[in-house]
């Protein structure tokens, strides 16, 4: 099972989900069965480490983020089984890129959080204060736990 998390810049939200999920997968002993990556729909931050505020929020929770920003491309549609968008705008961009394709599955991250409302998004923290980055981490942590449970069901 190959999973790619997607936001706009690939320096805040999707690298957070990527790092959180990678740790959950490793802790579950499933690193051979589940691979995790992330990308942005925009090309603004290619090659960059995650935003310093994103890295600090993750580091406070014991997660070191080392991913380098990259842009999601059409070729990625063949490289993943599940593409997980952080918000409706990026989900829409992915749907446009996919055209009429039925695979890979394109879904919203918070659809895996049973406590989140239908259609809930991970809001872009980039232009806001530090609290937004903590919130992104919390949202990713809850949703990735649900995502792992979902994937385990699929792997059975
Ligand atoms: P991300 O946050 O999509 O969660 O990585 C953003 C990072 C950078 C920009 C927008 C959102 N930007 O406009 O550069």
């Amino acid at each position: 099972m190959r999973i790619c998390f997607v936001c706009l810049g690939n320096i805040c939200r999707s690298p957070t989900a990527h790092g959180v999920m990678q740790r959950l997968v490793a802790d579950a002993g499933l690193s051979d069965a589940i691979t995790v990556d992330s990308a942005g729909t925009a090309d603004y931050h290619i090659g960059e480490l995650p935003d310093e505020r994103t890295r600090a929020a993750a580091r406070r929770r014991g997660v070191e983020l080392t991913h380098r920003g990259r842009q999601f491309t059409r070729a990625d549609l063949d490289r993943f089984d599940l593409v997980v968008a952080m918000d409706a705008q990026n989900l829409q961009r992915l749907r446009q890129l996919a055209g009429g394709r039925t695979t890979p599955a394109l879904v919203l991250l918070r659809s895996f959080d049973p406590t989140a409302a239908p259609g809930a998004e991970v809001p872009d923290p980039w232009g806001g204060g530090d609290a937004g980055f903590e919130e992104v981490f919390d949202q990713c942590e809850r949703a990735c736990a649900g995502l792992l449970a979902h994937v385990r069901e699929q792997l059975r």
Side-chain angles (χ1 to χ4, degrees):
M1 172 68 72
R2 302 159 299 172
I3 302 169
C4 189
F5 297 98
V6 177
C7 60
L8 181 62
N10 193 212
I11 55 167
C12 299
R13 294 165 292 174
S14 61
T16 300
H18 178 169
V20 165
M21 189 67 182
Q22 209 152 43
R23 185 173 68 178
L24 289 175
V25 166
D27 288 350
L30 291 170
S31 298
D32 289 342
I34 304 171
T35 63
V36 184
D37 195 5
S38 62
T41 56
D43 63 0
Y44 312 145
H45 299 285
I46 292 171
E48 296 178 19
L49 281 170
D51 185 283
E52 188 46 54
R53 297 162 295 175
T54 294
R55 292 169 65 200
R59 201 175 294 123
R60 280 193 284 276
R61 317 295 189 87
V63 177
E64 201 62 41
L65 300 181
T66 57
H67 176 75
R68 294 278 174 170
R70 71 181 193 89
Q71 187 173 26
F72 192 90
T73 68
R74 195 169 270 113
D76 285 316
L77 295 169
D78 295 316
R79 297 180 49 233
F80 296 99
D81 304 297
L82 186 58
V83 181
V84 184
M86 298 296 129
D87 62 24
Q89 184 195 3
N90 287 295
L91 181 61
Q92 186 55 30
R93 289 185 185 205
L94 289 167
R95 285 189 176 138
Q96 281 165 1
L97 198 64
R101 290 177 61 137
T102 54
T103 60
L106 308 175
V107 293
L108 279 176
L109 176 63
R110 296 189 74 199
S111 66
F112 296 104
D113 176 355
T115 69
E121 304 176 287
V122 182
D124 180 354
W126 195 63
D130 286 347
F133 291 84
E134 299 292 336
E135 194 168 65
V136 164
F137 194 96
D138 290 339
Q139 291 170 346
C140 287
E141 204 167 42
R142 282 198 299 274
C144 284
L147 172 58
L148 180 61
H150 168 81
V151 171
R152 291 183 95 138
E153 276 301 309
Q154 303 239 307
L155 291 174
R156 271 153 57 99

